Amino acid sequence: MNRTSQTKRPTIYDLAELAGTSASAVSAVLNGNWKKRRISAKLAEKITKLAEEQGYALNMQASALRRDRSKIIGMIVPKYDNRYFGSIVEQFEALARERGLFPIVTCTRRDPALELEAARAMLSYQVDCLIATGATDPDRVMDLCSAAGVRTINLDLPGSRAPSVISDNYGGALELTRRVLANCEKEYGEKTPLLFVGGRGSDHNTVERVRGFRNAHAQAGIAVDEKLVLTCGYAPEKAENAMNQLAERTSNLPRGMFVNSTISLEGVMHWIRRSGHYADRMPQLGCFDWDPFVAMLGDHIEMMRQDVPKMLEAVFSIIDSGVTDPTVVQIPPIVENIG
């Protein structure tokens, strides 16, 4: 019977047998000393992958005793295509260098396979810590890193097995929705439901923002129109297609919108300009994201800016303190009134 199919916990000897190498080589890889042993990066990646697949849990106390630290800190990000993630990368690099650490960053395009590939590559470079930003499967990234004795911290999207730093998505969405509803009532003299467009309906941030959106409506005594909750994804073309489909279903388009990122806002604005809808009067807009160039759209938009400096300060506070408990730190976002 294969050792790893038994109920007992796998050992480094089991991993060595599977990898076709020595137990000392496995130990060197999992403790981060493989470069000094002149073990190839290919074998190091193979052992790390096997450790993840076999559920091998490194003795973290023993791992912490390793003498040689790389002073390399890694970050994976899902996108570079908006100010929010660009600001995260910039702040991360600055704070890492202040601590004498060398930052490395890679984009994983919201692809879970690329997230794991990037994590394995960073482990092969012996990173001391990995920040998983907006990861689609942060727990799996954490399991992979834990097997190699490397800490992880989740940023933007939370996980259940490592510390997480996120925005207060619910509170921010509640306040943003309240403001857009009030702006609509002030302009049109009546209470009407808003459109919610953008984001993935399965991710934590969008779920919490939709919850805030719904509760703000309930507090205002307005029923949410379920046909107007369009969690279509973040890409501009997806938001534009969702707006096209909505216009085909109804001629009574909403007078106000909650747009779930500047990326989605790009698609919404393309649709408004190309479709000819709202030609006489632009809708009242609220965007859970921030970009100063949005001020050029006029005075009919409110923005909720995620507080990136405080989020990164919280991340490095966790790193500096050595906390590993799966706590979630929520940072309140900032209202940016463009008008």
Side-chain angles (χ1 to χ4, degrees):
M1 181 182 292
N2 189 317
R3 289 184 185 182
T4 58
S5 67
Q6 299 176 22
T7 57
K8 74 179 185 72
R9 293 174 59 187
T11 67
I12 60 172
Y13 300 101
D14 297 319
L15 296 179
E17 182 179 331
L18 289 168
T21 189
S22 67
S24 63
V26 171
S27 179
V29 169
L30 297 181
N31 284 289
N33 296 320
W34 59 274
K35 286 185 178 179
K36 292 184 70 174
R37 286 279 309 276
R38 297 187 179 181
I39 295 169
S40 70
K42 184 177 180 180
L43 179 56
E45 288 186 33
K46 180 179 181 180
I47 291 169
T48 302
K49 185 176 181 180
L50 282 169
E52 178 200 6
E53 292 172 349
Q54 299 300 315
Y56 180 83
L58 185 68
N59 183 316
M60 295 301 290
Q61 185 175 5
S63 173
L65 296 176
R66 65 186 184 186
R67 295 180 180 177
D68 297 321
R69 310 295 294 185
S70 68
K71 293 188 178 295
I72 298 173
I73 185 168
M75 172 179 277
I76 61 173
V77 293
K79 292 283 185 177
Y80 291 134
D81 59 358
N82 73 347
R83 188 173 293 270
Y84 171 59
F85 288 117
S87 180
I88 283 177
V89 169
E90 184 176 1
Q91 294 279 334
F92 165 70
E93 292 185 345
L95 290 174
R97 290 191 173 99
E98 284 178 9
R99 289 162 172 77
L101 302 173
F102 182 77
I104 55 174
V105 182
T106 189
C107 177
T108 52
R109 303 199 300 251
R110 300 190 191 278
D111 183 334
L114 278 180
E115 290 167 3
L116 292 178
E117 179 183 317
R120 290 190 186 102
M122 290 194 181
L123 290 174
S124 74
Y125 283 97
Q126 204 175 344
V127 294
D128 292 328
C129 183
L130 176 64
I131 314 302
T133 305
T136 60
D137 194 349
D139 286 345
R140 194 170 180 201
V141 172
M142 185 273 178
D143 288 343
L144 173 64
C145 293
S146 178
V150 172
R151 295 178 63 196
T152 60
I153 298 171
N154 302 311
L155 178 62
D156 181 62
L157 283 174
S160 64
R161 302 179 193 172
S164 301
V165 177
I166 64 174
S167 289
D168 179 1
N169 294 286
Y170 169 78
L174 183 73
E175 179 60 23
L176 184 62
T177 306
R178 284 172 177 164
R179 287 172 175 260
V180 180
L181 286 170
N183 291 343
C184 285
E185 184 177 5
K186 181 179 179 180
E187 181 172 356
Y188 296 102
E190 61 179 340
K191 295 181 177 182
T192 57
L194 306 180
L195 167 72
F196 186 107
V197 59
R200 295 178 300 161
S202 60
D203 76 32
H204 173 275
N205 293 356
T206 298
V207 168
E208 287 297 284
R209 292 172 194 175
V210 170
R211 186 166 71 91
F213 175 84
R214 293 183 188 281
N215 284 355
H217 278 75
Q219 291 173 7
I222 303 171
V224 172
D225 185 341
E226 296 302 326
K227 298 189 297 295
L228 300 182
V229 180
L230 309 177
T231 52
C232 53
Y234 287 104
E237 59 271 18
K238 291 183 178 179
E240 188 170 0
N241 289 339
M243 295 299 297
N244 270 326
Q245 293 169 16
L246 177 64
E248 290 172 359
R249 296 195 303 267
T250 179
S251 58
N252 188 23
L253 293 170
R255 293 172 172 173
M257 303 182 191
F258 182 116
V259 186
N260 198 20
S261 81
T262 51
I263 302 172
S264 298
L265 182 63
E266 180 183 337
V268 169
M269 296 308 299
H270 281 166
W271 175 81
I272 288 174
R273 289 169 178 165
R274 292 170 183 172
S275 69
H277 291 283
Y278 300 106
D280 297 330
R281 182 181 289 182
M282 286 291 289
Q284 289 290 333
L285 298 170
C287 182
F288 204 109
D289 209 348
W290 176 79
D291 193 302
F293 288 106
V294 173
M296 298 174 66
L297 297 177
D299 60 359
H300 57 280
I301 186 165
E302 305 259 4
M303 306 199 84
M304 191 62 67
R305 176 162 54 130
Q306 301 186 74
D307 196 341
V308 170
K310 286 190 177 178
M311 292 172 76
L312 267 297
E313 286 173 11
V315 166
F316 278 92
S317 177
I318 291 171
I319 293 172
D320 295 341
S321 68
V323 170
T324 58
D325 294 337
T327 55
V328 178
V329 178
Q330 296 194 71
I331 306 297
I334 303 166
V335 176
E336 295 283 352
N337 193 328
I338 304 298

